[in-house]
Amino acid sequence: MTEENVAIRADLSEDAVRAEALRRIHRRRRGAAALLYVEEMKDVALLWDEKAGDEGDYLALAAGVALRARLGQATYQLRRAHMGVTDLPLSLEKVATGDLPTRWFDDLLRAVERLSSPQRHQVDAEVSGWELATLSPDRFRTLVRLLVTWVDEVAALGATAEEARDVSLDHSHVDDGTATLTVTGPAPEILDLAKRLDAAAHAVQDQQRQALARIAAGETEVEIPWDLHGQAARTGKRLPLGAIRYLLLTRGEIDTQGVPVPAAGVRLNLVVPVLSLLGRSDAPATLDGTIPIPAGMARELAARAPSFQRVLTDPITGEFLPVSSTTYRPTAAMREHVLLIDPVCAVPGCERHIAENGEVDHIEEFDHLRPENGGPTMPHNLHGLCWSHHDAKTERYIDPERSRDGKRTRWDIGGLTATEVTTNRDLVTQSLAESYSRYWDDYVQRRRAAEERARARAEAEAAAAAAGTGADPGADAPPGDGDPDHAPPF
């Protein structure tokens, strides 16, 4: 999207005021705002001196005055500015040109804080080569987290996840009488806890709905489960899921007082590259599509899995290879395929998971009267939508359109603007494949060179034997150079 074509792509002939507002936002974000962000980061970085001692505190105080920030905040901003300018110069240049939004760069800075300077440079080189204009915010964040997990040697070995188990209490910073309980631990354990709690809350909420329906029908002496404060009885509405989760946690163990919780509702989806599964690579896996986990942890989880489902990707482009179907309704295998590729709502910017709170939907609508004219029920024409955005699509507030090659989806947002995002790809495996290709080419060249040296030495030895000199032309050659089976490995 550019300033010149934003009005055409958004079809804003009837809303010129908002169209012009969108142009100004687009122009400002890609132009003045981006340049000001980069200029300020470079200026703030000049104030950072890790070895300055007391002078460093003075510089942080001075920066705090200019930034109107507390000392801790100012010190953090100095440190991150230095990190951005020194260790992420290629990505910062993408910010200056408007290709990388400033908020995305902030997310990138937070993600690489724990890495060493060489590791940050490695991430910087990779991110700056992505097609940033085709990525949605949530997809960019997921890819960055996946890449950082891969680069971080400590995380890749899975040495600290178990040691990080902790439960901590944090009081509110605004003195509003609230507090936060934080549970930290290995991602699979925490995700399993969250899913079990969510399943219990859904079960209780369903029982509340049934009880309220009986009351509305005139029944008396009906008890509404887990309505401890009488809110559901007063309003005639079941409690929100968040409130039920809180009650289940704070009123004892996760006990639903006899309400059955379907065991099948708790599930973890693990996607792991096959080379990592075989121990030939440390490329990270993803848990439920968005949470990167180290390869070692993924192998441990896979070892306990009763079965696997294979989803193939093209090792060069990273694109997921489709499976075929000739049915109208998506089959279980097709739904599984879509959820494994991208379990998050396809609408740009939405982060809701669709496994429990959405459905697999056609991009190009299926024509029930003339199926041959409608969108096919194939993975390339399917994506996941949360319930809210599925309703919005039904009401035509949002409208997706998949490109002919199936690699991009254009989203019309309320007739005000449009954006185009690329279909989910495995960019990390793509980079891994490129690395392996380079290693193989280098190995082949070394092997051929060794074979040439061996052939030349054999010819020289044969000539020397024929002349009766008995000389050994290869006596000074390095050991193993003439044996192609012992060529130096890549």
Side-chain angles (χ1 to χ4, degrees):
M1 182 183 297
T2 65
E3 183 181 345
E4 290 74 19
N5 69 13
V6 63
I8 298 174
R9 296 180 64 179
D11 191 16
L12 293 172
S13 58
E14 297 180 2
D15 201 344
V17 174
R18 289 177 177 169
E20 187 57 33
L22 282 173
R23 292 192 191 95
R24 290 196 299 269
I25 293 172
H26 186 271
R27 182 167 58 248
R28 191 182 303 120
R29 288 284 179 175
R30 291 187 61 89
L35 290 176
L36 287 174
Y37 177 93
V38 173
E39 290 174 3
E40 180 168 304
M41 178 159 288
K42 290 180 177 180
D43 287 339
V44 173
L46 292 175
L47 302 176
W48 171 256
D49 189 349
E50 190 173 5
K51 301 179 181 179
D54 293 337
E55 181 183 353
D57 292 336
Y58 167 78
L59 293 174
L61 283 171
V65 172
L67 298 170
R68 303 185 69 180
R70 297 191 301 271
L71 178 60
Q73 292 175 329
T75 303
Y76 173 74
Q77 291 194 45
L78 262 64
R79 183 183 299 111
R80 68 189 292 274
H82 171 76
M83 181 172 60
V85 172
T86 305
D87 296 338
L88 303 173
L90 300 178
S91 297
L92 189 61
E93 182 60 27
K94 292 289 185 179
V95 177
T97 59
D99 295 323
L100 180 62
T102 57
R103 291 184 179 179
W104 294 19
F105 190 74
D106 289 337
D107 290 339
L108 179 60
L109 285 171
R110 283 189 291 269
V112 301
E113 281 182 337
R114 66 180 181 181
L115 301 182
S116 65
S117 180
Q119 289 173 329
R120 293 185 193 125
H121 279 286
Q122 185 177 353
V123 172
D124 182 45
E126 185 69 24
V127 171
S128 63
W130 290 348
E131 295 180 10
L132 298 168
T134 67
L135 297 177
S136 63
D138 61 289
R139 185 61 186 156
F140 174 81
R141 185 163 59 252
T142 297
L143 286 173
V144 166
R145 292 168 62 192
L146 189 66
L147 182 61
V148 168
T149 304
W150 187 10
V151 171
D152 188 354
E153 296 176 357
V154 175
L157 294 175
T160 61
E162 290 75 16
E163 300 171 0
R165 290 189 179 103
D166 186 31
V167 177
S168 60
L169 176 66
D170 298 314
H171 294 281
S172 173
H173 298 294
V174 294
D175 297 325
D176 59 354
T178 62
T180 302
L181 191 68
T182 303
V183 182
T184 304
E189 296 178 4
I190 300 301
L191 191 59
D192 177 70
L193 171 64
K195 284 181 172 289
R196 287 189 286 113
L197 180 60
D198 189 63
H202 274 282
V204 171
Q205 191 184 62
D206 185 66
Q207 291 291 307
Q208 288 185 345
R209 179 187 60 78
Q210 296 181 29
L212 290 170
R214 292 167 57 193
I215 293 174
E219 292 189 31
T220 59
E221 299 183 358
V222 177
E223 182 179 356
I224 304 175
W226 285 93
D227 189 21
L228 302 185
H229 305 292
Q231 178 181 342
R234 289 193 306 271
T235 62
K237 298 179 180 179
R238 50 190 177 170
L239 297 180
L241 285 174
I244 298 176
R245 294 189 194 100
Y246 179 83
L247 290 173
L248 294 176
L249 276 178
T250 58
R251 301 293 174 166
E253 298 180 357
I254 301 179
D255 180 5
T256 58
Q257 296 184 350
V259 177
V261 180
V266 179
R267 169 180 175 157
L268 299 178
N269 284 330
L270 174 69
V271 179
V272 52
V274 66
L275 289 177
S276 296
L277 190 63
L278 297 175
R280 299 296 185 181
S281 167
D282 285 326
T286 54
L287 203 61
D288 268 16
T290 58
I291 306 173
I293 63 172
M297 183 184 295
R299 285 190 285 269
E300 291 181 7
L301 290 172
R304 300 195 295 267
S307 62
F308 296 90
Q309 175 169 342
R310 182 184 63 183
V311 176
L312 299 177
T313 63
D314 187 304
I316 304 302
T317 65
E319 296 174 359
F320 291 88
L321 304 180
V323 296
S324 60
S325 175
T326 57
T327 62
Y328 158 61
R329 291 187 178 278
T331 64
M334 292 170 62
R335 185 176 187 275
E336 194 78 8
H337 185 84
V338 173
L339 291 179
L340 287 175
I341 290 176
D342 198 350
V344 178
C345 178
V347 174
C350 182
E351 298 177 323
R352 298 188 186 97
H353 283 251
I354 60 174
E356 297 88 10
N357 300 297
E359 67 176 68
V360 173
D361 187 60
H362 289 75
I363 299 174
E364 181 185 351
E365 290 81 357
F366 186 87
D367 191 331
H368 291 271
L369 298 179
R370 296 182 177 180
E372 67 277 6
N373 296 333
T377 307
M378 298 283 287
H380 71 269
N381 191 47
L382 297 173
H383 60 185
L385 294 179
C386 67
W387 296 121
S388 176
H389 286 131
H390 181 270
D391 292 341
K393 176 176 176 287
T394 301
E395 298 295 331
R396 298 291 183 178
Y397 294 127
I398 57 176
D399 184 28
E401 181 180 349
R402 182 62 59 88
S403 62
R404 290 181 178 272
D405 58 10
K407 296 182 178 181
R408 288 177 172 80
T409 302
R410 181 183 185 274
W411 289 88
D412 182 278
I413 313 296
L416 295 177
T417 187
T419 184
E420 193 173 82
V421 296
T422 187
T423 304
N424 190 6
R425 291 187 299 154
D426 186 359
L427 297 180
V428 173
T429 300
Q430 178 183 355
S431 299
L432 181 64
E434 293 172 353
S435 298
Y436 274 112
S437 296
R438 290 195 300 269
Y439 294 151
W440 175 253
D441 292 342
D442 182 61
Y443 169 74
V444 170
Q445 292 177 4
R446 289 172 180 264
R447 186 178 181 88
R448 288 175 178 172
E451 291 174 347
E452 289 295 332
R453 289 194 296 269
R455 186 179 301 109
R457 187 173 67 175
E459 292 175 354
E461 289 176 347
T469 61
D472 184 6
D476 296 330
D481 266 7
D483 186 356
D485 290 331
H486 294 84
F490 57 80

